[in-house]
Amino acid sequence: MPIKAPFYTNKAVKRFNNSFREIDVTVAGKFKLSAQEKHIIKLIIEGKSSKEIADQLFISKTTVDTHRRNIHRKLEIGNSASLIKFANENNLFS
């Protein structure tokens, strides 16, 4: 029988996971947002540019732009301002 080691996380990971609790239940389920899309939404709301998001997540700017397009398509919104308004109206990340 294999020995199972305990799983440890740091406070930042716990805080990150807790920040998505409400969005997971409501918006993510309804609009089928991926974990990466939810993370990118949070960074957009924080005012990060695609380049800054790409650098922070260690992905290309093109990948971030693709995620942005998918988010806009799934939420049926046209731009980042609409995304921020949507997030406020739906109490995301509060």
Side-chain angles (χ1 to χ4, degrees), residues 27-42:
V27 176
K30 183 175 179 182
F31 295 102
K32 308 227 185 299
L33 295 170
S34 70
Q36 187 80 321
E37 289 168 341
K38 291 181 286 186
H39 193 184
I40 289 173
I41 289 170
K42 183 162 178 55

Side-chain angles (χ1 to χ4, degrees), residues 60-77:
S60 74
K61 181 184 174 299
T62 305
T63 301
V64 174
D65 291 338
T66 298
H67 282 302
R68 281 181 178 257
R69 278 193 305 276
N70 290 339
I71 291 165
H72 290 182
R73 180 181 46 80
K74 288 179 181 182
L75 300 180
E76 299 177 355
I77 56 175

Side-chain angles (χ1 to χ4, degrees), residues 3 8 12 15 20 22 30 33 35 39 43 49 52 60-62 65 80 89 94:
I3 299 172
Y8 295 98
R15 206 170 28 250
F20 288 116
E22 186 173 341
K30 183 175 179 182
L33 295 170
H39 193 184
L43 296 172
S49 69
E52 291 169 327
S60 74
K61 181 184 174 299
T62 305
D65 291 338
S80 295
E89 289 173 352
S94 57

